């Protein structure tokens, strides 16, 4: 996540733990959420396309930076909401693990269709403290993320738990192999084939830790109702994390608009 050029120590202060058992509830206050367009616009854009790649596309196509970024970002609606929930979860993990470095293949960069979610497990991140040497301290985090920004019948917490079970059965392994195929085909600028193989072929390396997480990103105004009757999974199987964001729909729409507008800064130095 270093390529996002975020201060993860400072970002960690944004996520306030209001409940830790029997599952975690993380709250972002109104003032912090209001700063997201300024603080997260550039990092969110980089989740979809790196600055060097954006500059290269400008040079190769002779179109504006805004047009290149528009071709990568999702339209307003459920996919944008889901992508924001996934990116916020990835940032939360990176801030929680700081000062350790979290490696993230940035699945949002690999979409074949910007109007749809990326395939496979939502968030896959690796912590390899002694790399290029594998060690028993190596960990891989796999999170299933559900986002709810407006009132409705959806049940993001229960759905995140249920779909996280799919990760721990087969989908996680399929996702790692899919990521390796993408690494061989087009290359991954933030994760290597060797790092993926460390977890694809675990018997060839010291035993590592796999952590499965069910994450629900919910608008703060809906949180109280969504927490009623929650039955968390056994902690030994997966962690349940609920992240509350004030005015979630307005917040993520403003962040994505900022991501688009900041493309002009890259074009200016291209």
């Amino acid at each position: 996540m270093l390529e996002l050029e975020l201060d993860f120590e400072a970002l960690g202060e944004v996520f306030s733990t209001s409940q830790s058992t029997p599952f975690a509830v993380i709250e972002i206050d109104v003032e912090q959420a209001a700063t997201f367009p300024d603080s997260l616009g550039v990092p969110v854009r980089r989740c979809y396309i790196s600055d060097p790649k954006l500059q290269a596309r400008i040079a190769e196509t002779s179109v504006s930076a805004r047009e290149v970024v528009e071709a990568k970002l999702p339209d307003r609606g459920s996919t944008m909401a889901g992508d924001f929930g996934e990116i916020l979860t990835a940032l939360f993990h990176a801030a929680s693990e700081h000062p350790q470095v979290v490696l993230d293949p940035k699945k949002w960069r690999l979409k074949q269709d910007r109007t749809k979610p990326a395939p496979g497990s939502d968030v896959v991140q690796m912590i390899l403290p002694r790399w290029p040497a594998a060690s028993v301290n190596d960990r891989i985090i796999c999170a299933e993320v559900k986002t709810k920004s407006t009132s409705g019948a959806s049940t993001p917490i229960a759905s995140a738990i249920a779909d996280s079970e799919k990760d721990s059965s087969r989908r996680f392994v399929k996702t790692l192999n899919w990521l390796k195929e993408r690494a061989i085909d087009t290359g991954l600028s933030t994760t290597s084939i060797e790092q993926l193989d460390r977890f694809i072929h675990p018997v060839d390396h010291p035993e590592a830790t796999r952590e499965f997480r069910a994450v629900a990103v919910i608008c703060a105004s809906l949180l109280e109702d969504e927490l009623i009757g929650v039955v968390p999974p056994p902690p030994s199987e997966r962690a349940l994390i609920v992240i509350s964001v004030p005015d979630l729909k307005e917040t993520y729409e403003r962040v994505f608009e900022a991501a688009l507008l900041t493309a002009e800064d890259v074009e200016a130095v291209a």
Side-chain angles (χ1 to χ4, degrees):
M1 300 291 278
L2 293 177
E3 67 279 1
L4 300 184
E5 298 183 17
L6 265 171
D7 183 343
F8 286 106
E9 182 176 3
L11 183 63
E13 299 177 1
V14 170
F15 300 100
S16 177
T17 303
S18 63
Q19 173 182 308
S20 56
T21 58
F23 56 91
V25 177
I26 310 298
E27 295 185 353
I28 299 169
D29 66 30
V30 173
E31 290 76 15
Q32 294 282 14
T35 68
F36 277 6
D38 290 334
S39 62
L40 298 185
V42 171
V44 165
R45 188 195 73 222
R46 289 172 176 160
C47 283
Y48 291 88
I49 185 169
S50 68
D51 288 358
K53 181 67 173 179
L54 177 54
Q55 291 171 340
R57 295 309 296 154
I58 295 169
E60 292 166 4
T61 63
S62 299
V63 302
S64 69
R66 185 185 181 97
E67 289 177 281
V68 175
V69 175
E70 280 181 331
K72 300 289 288 184
L73 299 184
D75 296 329
R76 292 188 179 192
S78 60
T79 299
M80 180 180 285
D83 279 13
F84 180 76
E86 293 172 6
I87 292 170
L88 189 66
T89 298
L91 296 178
F92 168 70
H93 288 165
S96 300
E97 297 292 338
H98 182 80
Q100 294 193 92
V101 175
V102 173
L103 302 173
D104 191 314
K106 306 291 184 304
K107 288 175 69 254
W108 310 282
R109 295 181 181 181
L110 305 175
K111 286 188 178 189
Q112 296 298 310
D113 186 339
R114 67 179 181 84
T115 67
K116 297 178 180 179
S121 303
D122 290 335
V123 176
V124 177
Q125 297 174 300
M126 295 176 283
I127 298 98
L128 300 168
R130 297 183 182 177
W131 193 260
S135 79
V136 294
N137 296 316
D138 294 346
R139 297 159 53 214
I140 190 163
I141 299 170
C142 178
E144 171 66 22
V145 185
K146 299 296 183 185
T147 303
K148 185 169 184 176
S149 55
T150 58
S151 59
S154 66
T155 54
I157 298 175
S159 296
I161 295 170
D163 280 0
S164 178
E165 293 176 359
K166 298 176 184 177
D167 285 328
S168 54
S169 59
R170 291 190 303 170
R171 186 168 59 188
F172 168 64
V173 173
K174 288 184 177 180
T175 302
L176 289 180
N177 282 291
W178 176 79
L179 286 169
K180 181 177 178 179
E181 289 176 358
R182 301 288 72 72
I184 294 170
D185 180 22
T186 59
L188 301 177
S189 60
T190 59
T191 310
S192 69
I193 294 171
E194 292 77 16
Q195 288 165 341
L196 291 168
D197 273 340
R198 191 263 175 270
F199 296 99
I200 293 172
H201 305 292
V203 297
D204 297 334
H205 304 279
E207 185 176 1
T209 301
R210 293 184 176 187
E211 300 179 15
F212 295 98
R213 300 178 181 180
V215 182
V217 178
I218 301 174
C219 184
S221 63
L222 307 175
L223 181 64
E224 185 176 353
D225 287 342
E226 294 298 327
L227 291 178
I228 295 173
V230 170
V231 179
S236 59
E237 293 181 4
R238 71 200 74 254
L240 172 60
I241 302 169
V242 179
I243 302 177
S244 169
V245 184
D247 300 316
L248 178 54
K249 183 174 184 292
E250 178 183 352
T251 297
Y252 71 68
E253 287 180 348
R254 291 178 60 219
V255 169
F256 274 90
E257 180 61 26
L260 188 59
L261 292 175
T262 61
E264 298 172 2
D265 298 329
V266 176
E267 186 171 21
V269 298

